[in-house]
DNA sequence: GAGGTGATGTCATCATCTGTCATAGACTCA
DNA sequence: TGAGTCTATGACAGATGATGACATCACCTC
């Protein structure tokens, strides 16, 4: 029998998300999170770099999926297709966690610093994608712009997916597949009064 | 004669940027900033909401320029042209502050939280642009994607402009004008091995 | 010149985050 | 089986970030 329960990190993450949802991010102290998880504040800071990090710590597990999907296909491939495969793979991995992601996003949306950290994470991913595209032979400028455009579209669909709490909400991957074609024509065809 | 010099806010902002550049953002305390500005830490927090804010406080003066440029032109106008006019107007306003912006960006690039706050600000601007485009009659989905793409390009050119310290560096507006046409074709024409 | 105003200082306090050392169950190896 | 090591955690002290309450005093208005 271990001296302490072995999952302090998970308990801290769960306690934090619940408390943030109940009382708001700013109103929750580290001591309260630690209390609910049955540890001390010092243990919180051993598991997570800072208070924000408890909401972002596990995100980087998803990045390798993106990069592998881009690097994997053999032979020539069109950029849009490659981007679609990568974003759909990411979407499939996020799909089962819909409810937890919705709760997390609701917390993030209430705080500028948290929104910034989320955007910084996405920017880091975007850069990694651009690098992966460049390594496949795309021009560096084209790769970075493609990654930026793809992620802009992903953010839009992710936001809509997270906002939709209904049980028969369209899967994120379907939303992304549906949205991609509009990219091809919007720039040339869009005019307004 | 006033009891204190009248420009404590400007002195604090200048002292903060200088100290951040000299010693790094994290190594500088509010007390040090306040000391150099000749006030107390309490006055710093009366002028700026928090330590980060001293780097971002005046940015929102630029947003109205963007929105006016989008709302102003009369008659039908193509989306890409409208986006170009808005981004070029913003670029022209930023041009004289090249050196200060370079110094500021160098500080921001050293800290994840600061980078996030910068991205959050740009996201707020992006949303405002999308709204302005929608009010001109563009479909809401198209407007948000157009804004996202325009800003992705703006970020890329801004980054290159800020990285270029040479005295005859190309103006930001020229860089943006030069980069825009590539947007039109990249999605359809880009293929790699 | 009496009183109000506003920017600032002073003091107290809470929250975030870090460094350091102690503790005790788990593990290893002879 | 017992000594030594490892490791997650607790306990405590302290620096920094941030806020609230109240005092101060030059300036302004009447």
């Amino acid at each position: 029998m271990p001296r302490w329960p072995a999952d302090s990190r998970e308990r801290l993450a769960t306690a934090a998300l619940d408390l943030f949802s109940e009382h708001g991010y700013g109103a929750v102290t580290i001591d309260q999170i630690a209390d609910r998880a049955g540890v001390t504040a010092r243990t919180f800071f051993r598991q997570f770099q800072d208070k924000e990090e408890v909401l972002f710590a596990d995100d980087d597990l998803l990045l390798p999926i993106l990069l592998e999907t881009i690097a994997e296909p053999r032979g020539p491939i069109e950029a849009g297709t490659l981007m679609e495969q990568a974003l759909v793979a990411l979407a499939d991995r996020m799909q089962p966690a819909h409810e937890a992601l919705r709760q997390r996003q609701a917390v993030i949306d209430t705080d500028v610093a948290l929104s910034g950290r989320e955007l910084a994470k996405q920017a880091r991913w975007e850069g990694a994608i651009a690098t992966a595209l460049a390594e496949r032979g795309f021009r560096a400028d084209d790769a970075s712009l493609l990654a930026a455009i793809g992620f802009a579209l992903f953010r839009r669909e992710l936001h809509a997916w997270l906002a939709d709490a209904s049980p028969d909400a369209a899967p994120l991957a379907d939303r992304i597949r549906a949205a991609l074609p509009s990219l091809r024509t919007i720039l040339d065809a869009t005019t307004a009064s």
Side-chain angles (χ1 to χ4, degrees), chain A:
Chain A
M1 191 189 317
R3 186 171 170 200
W4 296 279
D7 56 346
S8 68
R9 184 182 176 88
E10 286 72 22
R11 281 182 286 124
L12 281 164
T14 303
L17 189 53
D18 288 346
L19 285 168
F20 292 161
S21 297
E22 289 169 23
H23 306 112
Y25 177 79
V28 175
T29 68
I30 307 291
D31 281 336
Q32 291 172 327
I33 299 171
D35 278 351
R36 182 172 292 201
V39 296
T40 63
R42 193 66 187 83
T43 294
F44 179 94
F45 286 110
R46 287 203 182 88
Q47 294 292 342
F48 303 100
Q49 195 179 347
D50 55 37
K51 185 178 171 183
E52 295 177 2
E53 187 67 11
V54 71
L55 286 167
F56 296 94
D58 294 335
D59 279 2
D60 280 332
L61 302 177
L62 293 173
L63 181 55
I65 297 168
L66 275 174
L67 301 184
E68 285 163 21
T69 311
I70 290 174
E72 192 175 297
R74 305 258 51 92
I77 188 167
E78 196 264 336
T81 307
L82 199 52
M83 182 66 64
E84 174 175 346
Q85 291 178 4
L87 295 181
V88 164
L90 177 60
D92 284 338
R93 195 59 86 87
M94 296 174 75
Q95 185 67 40
H98 188 196
E99 186 48 36
L101 289 170
R102 225 170 57 77
Q103 190 182 3
R104 173 181 171 280
Q105 189 64 43
V107 173
I108 289 175
D109 285 343
T110 65
D111 187 285
V112 182
L114 294 176
S115 304
R117 190 123 161 193
E118 172 75 8
L119 292 169
K121 181 200 72 186
Q122 291 176 2
R124 208 167 56 245
W125 287 11
E126 191 180 306
I129 290 176
T131 302
L133 288 172
E135 281 169 1
R136 283 210 63 131
F138 294 94
R139 284 187 47 234
D141 270 7
D142 291 354
S144 71
L145 203 50
L146 271 168
I149 292 170
F151 244 82
L153 183 142
F154 182 80
R155 266 192 293 273
R156 194 185 67 182
E157 299 308 319
L158 176 64
H159 187 265
W161 178 65
L162 290 175
D164 189 343
S166 68
D168 56 344
L172 180 56
D174 291 356
R175 293 171 190 262
I176 288 173
R177 281 194 205 90
L180 274 160
S182 70
L183 263 185
R184 308 299 178 91
T185 52
I186 177 175
L187 284 166
D188 291 331
T190 312
T191 306
S193 61

